[in-house]
Amino acid sequence: MDLQLKGKTALVLASSSGLGKAIAHELADEGANVMLTSRSENKLKAAKEEIEKTAKGSVSYTLLDQTEYESIAKAVKRTRETFGPISILINNSGGPTAGKFESFKDEDWQQAFELTLLSYVRVIRMVLPDLKENNGRILNNTSTSTKEPIDGLTLSNVFRTGILGLSKTLAQELAADNILVNTIGPGRIQTERVEELDQITANNKGQTSEEIKDANLSTIPMGRYGEPEEFAKVATFLVSGANTYMTGQNILVDGGKIKAI
Ligand SMILES: NC(=O)c1ccc[n+]([C@@H]2O[C@H](COP(=O)([O-])OP(=O)(O)OC[C@H]3O[C@@H](n4cnc5c(N)ncnc54)[C@H](OP(=O)(O)O)[C@@H]3O)[C@@H](O)[C@H]2O)c1
């Protein structure tokens, strides 16, 4: 299958590590020119070097704090200047703080809104003129919490479903411009974020992170956490030229964890 990604410009948010980096890597391996973004220059530099070992497309990076409007605007401008108009937008972000409802104040809700939902809205608005000219693709990373709320992740549970509503709305509004908009929800994919969450749960329950991981594994029919590369391959198809008719969908990559139909 020809994914038709050669020479396409892809802006991948939150891509210095974890899922964002894995998607950027897969896209670059397929010949896309990829802009990496995050707050940490050291991590971005290391990610660029790693990806370049196998990439067929070019790789660059730019600093971006997704909670700041001006920072997003600068990153979009730099992407256009480096590689030309953007065809592919991967929206992704750091995860919001874990916790139950009663642990959060207004400021926590505001911060989580700005990081996980408003940042997606802002970057889509800025990139849209390019996408309209290029049969663009938008992929919004969320979580399985869009199908089933996750215990102790109140902020994620609320804002991820907001992203789902946003994606479905955009899929309707932008179909006439040949822009396909989908969401992708990781189940438990082995990244720093997942290790951190397992450790938080372990601390809260007075158990070891290995015990928490074993308990999590027992809820996954495939009996293992996913690898970032497995997740990235699905993401890459969704934003590729090979996907010509799938839009407004919420695809979970979760080893069968979510049983809801
Ligand atoms: N892994 C999973 O199984 C899983 C499951 C469900 C949901 N998710 C969600 O998927 C997203 C990615 O997860 P992950 O596992 O890849 O996490 P990760 O390994 O912790 O990576 C998070 C990325 O976000 C960047 N980032 C954080 N805050 C940022 C900000 N304010 N501005 C710009 N970049 C920022 C980090 O880079 P810097 O630190 O360099 O800024 C890093 O590149 C998260 O929202 C997570 O909650 C993941």
Side-chain angles (χ1 to χ4, degrees), residues 1-4 6 30 237 240-243:
M1 179 165 50
D2 179 4
L3 294 176
Q4 300 165 44
K6 286 184 192 75
E30 292 296 331
F237 167 74
S240 75
N243 174 22

Short mmCIF file of all heavy atoms in Angstrom, two decimals, residues 1-4 6 30 237 240-243:
data_model
loop_
_atom_site.label_atom_id
_atom_site.label_comp_id
_atom_site.label_asym_id
_atom_site.label_seq_id
_atom_site.Cartn_x
_atom_site.Cartn_y
_atom_site.Cartn_z
N MET A 1 0.85 -1.19 0.00
CA MET A 1 0.00 0.00 0.00
C MET A 1 0.89 1.26 0.00
O MET A 1 1.82 1.35 0.80
CB MET A 1 -0.87 -0.01 1.26
CG MET A 1 -1.76 1.18 1.39
SD MET A 1 -3.07 0.96 2.61
CE MET A 1 -2.19 0.38 4.03
N ASP A 2 0.59 2.19 -0.90
CA ASP A 2 1.35 3.43 -0.93
C ASP A 2 0.66 4.44 -0.01
O ASP A 2 -0.47 4.86 -0.26
CB ASP A 2 1.39 3.96 -2.37
CG ASP A 2 2.15 5.28 -2.47
OD1 ASP A 2 2.72 5.73 -1.45
OD2 ASP A 2 2.17 5.86 -3.58
N LEU A 3 1.35 4.85 1.04
CA LEU A 3 0.75 5.77 2.02
C LEU A 3 0.78 7.22 1.52
O LEU A 3 0.20 8.11 2.15
CB LEU A 3 1.46 5.66 3.36
CG LEU A 3 1.30 4.31 4.08
CD1 LEU A 3 2.14 4.27 5.36
CD2 LEU A 3 -0.15 4.02 4.42
N GLN A 4 1.46 7.45 0.42
CA GLN A 4 1.49 8.80 -0.20
C GLN A 4 1.89 9.89 0.80
O GLN A 4 1.23 10.92 0.90
CB GLN A 4 0.13 9.12 -0.81
CG GLN A 4 -0.28 8.14 -1.89
CD GLN A 4 -1.76 8.23 -2.23
OE1 GLN A 4 -2.29 9.33 -2.36
NE2 GLN A 4 -2.42 7.10 -2.37
N LYS A 6 5.26 10.86 1.03
CA LYS A 6 6.56 11.44 0.64
C LYS A 6 6.43 12.95 0.37
O LYS A 6 5.57 13.38 -0.40
CB LYS A 6 7.11 10.75 -0.60
CG LYS A 6 7.62 9.38 -0.29
CD LYS A 6 8.26 8.71 -1.51
CE LYS A 6 8.49 7.25 -1.22
NZ LYS A 6 7.28 6.43 -1.27
N GLU A 30 8.25 7.08 6.48
CA GLU A 30 7.44 6.97 5.26
C GLU A 30 7.67 8.14 4.31
O GLU A 30 6.94 8.31 3.33
CB GLU A 30 5.95 6.86 5.61
CG GLU A 30 5.58 5.57 6.31
CD GLU A 30 5.78 4.32 5.43
OE1 GLU A 30 5.68 4.44 4.19
OE2 GLU A 30 6.07 3.25 5.99
N PHE A 237 -1.49 5.47 9.23
CA PHE A 237 -2.49 5.16 8.20
C PHE A 237 -3.59 6.23 8.18
O PHE A 237 -3.99 6.72 7.12
CB PHE A 237 -3.12 3.77 8.41
CG PHE A 237 -4.34 3.60 7.54
CD1 PHE A 237 -4.20 3.39 6.17
CD2 PHE A 237 -5.62 3.73 8.06
CE1 PHE A 237 -5.32 3.31 5.34
CE2 PHE A 237 -6.74 3.64 7.24
CZ PHE A 237 -6.59 3.42 5.87
N SER A 240 -2.63 9.30 6.38
CA SER A 240 -1.97 9.08 5.10
C SER A 240 -2.91 9.33 3.92
O SER A 240 -4.13 9.42 4.10
CB SER A 240 -1.45 7.64 5.02
OG SER A 240 -2.54 6.76 4.80
N GLY A 241 -2.32 9.38 2.73
CA GLY A 241 -3.12 9.49 1.51
C GLY A 241 -3.88 8.21 1.22
O GLY A 241 -4.79 8.19 0.39
N ALA A 242 -3.49 7.11 1.89
CA ALA A 242 -4.20 5.84 1.69
C ALA A 242 -5.56 5.86 2.39
O ALA A 242 -6.46 5.09 2.04
CB ALA A 242 -3.36 4.68 2.22
N ASN A 243 -5.71 6.70 3.39
CA ASN A 243 -7.04 6.87 4.01
C ASN A 243 -7.79 7.96 3.26
O ASN A 243 -7.46 9.14 3.37
CB ASN A 243 -6.92 7.24 5.49
CG ASN A 243 -8.28 7.55 6.09
OD1 ASN A 243 -9.32 7.11 5.57
ND2 ASN A 243 -8.30 8.31 7.17
#
